[in-house]
């Protein structure tokens, strides 16, 4: 089995596990109506909202997962932060997601992408 075929299979397995044990997730980045001026005097143009959907599972950090994520991303993990294992459209910093009635924002993420194939994303969430 080639690396590409192996990781494509892992991608399918991750999707299946997240669908079985996770929940549908929608990440949203709010747009703006535009108008007004920025600090340089330029007119602010309207920006459309962006949403991506997928499936995910929210988990708490453990000592090992926290250390690995910090080493990989350089992120600062605060008390109360959690992680989201997510398969779907690409996340962006500043997107928000509501899980179990609590609104979280994306503060960092990293793709788990061996051989250039995104198997899933690990996303750091903060209230």
């Amino acid at each position: 089995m080639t690396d590409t075929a192996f990781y494509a299979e892992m991608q399918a397995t991750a999707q299946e596990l997240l669908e079985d044990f996770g929940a549908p997730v929608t990440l949203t980045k709010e747009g703006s109506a535009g108008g007004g001026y920025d600090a340089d005097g330029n007119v602010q143009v309207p920006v459309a909202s962006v949403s991506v959907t997928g499936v995910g599972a929210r988990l708490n950090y453990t000592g090992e997962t926290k250390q690995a994520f910090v080493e990989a991303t350089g992120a600062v993990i605060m008390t109360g932060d959690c992680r989201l294992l997510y398969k779907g459209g690409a996340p962006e910093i500043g997107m928000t997601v509501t899980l179990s009635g609590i609104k979280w924002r994306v503060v960092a993420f990293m793709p788990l992408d061996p051989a250039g194939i995104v198997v899933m994303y690990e996303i750091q969430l903060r209230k």
Side-chain angles (χ1 to χ4, degrees):
M1 179 181 290
T2 66
D3 282 350
T4 303
F6 173 76
Y7 289 119
E9 186 176 316
M10 299 297 1
Q11 183 182 43
T13 300
Q15 178 80 22
E16 183 178 319
L17 287 169
L18 286 171
E19 286 174 357
D20 288 347
F21 300 104
V25 172
T26 300
L27 298 170
T28 304
K29 188 168 192 174
E30 295 297 324
S32 66
Y37 298 91
D38 65 15
D40 297 324
N42 300 314
V43 174
Q44 295 290 333
V45 297
V47 177
S49 294
V50 176
S51 293
V52 293
T53 59
V55 293
R58 187 184 74 79
L59 303 166
N60 292 321
Y61 282 104
T62 64
E64 295 81 21
T65 58
K66 184 185 287 188
Q67 182 177 351
F69 191 80
V70 169
E71 288 176 3
T73 65
V76 173
I77 298 175
M78 298 174 62
T79 301
D81 287 359
C82 68
R83 60 192 195 127
L84 178 68
L85 299 181
Y86 169 78
K87 177 70 179 125
E92 294 179 28
I93 303 289
M95 286 183 144
T96 60
V97 60
T98 301
L99 303 170
S100 301
I102 300 170
K103 190 171 185 176
W104 301 85
R105 63 186 167 88
V106 174
V107 294
F109 67 90
M110 70 176 183
L112 303 174
D113 60 350
I117 297 171
V118 176
V119 174
M120 66 180 164
Y121 293 93
E122 182 174 345
I123 302 173
Q124 178 185 357
L125 299 175
R126 184 170 295 152
K127 291 180 188 175

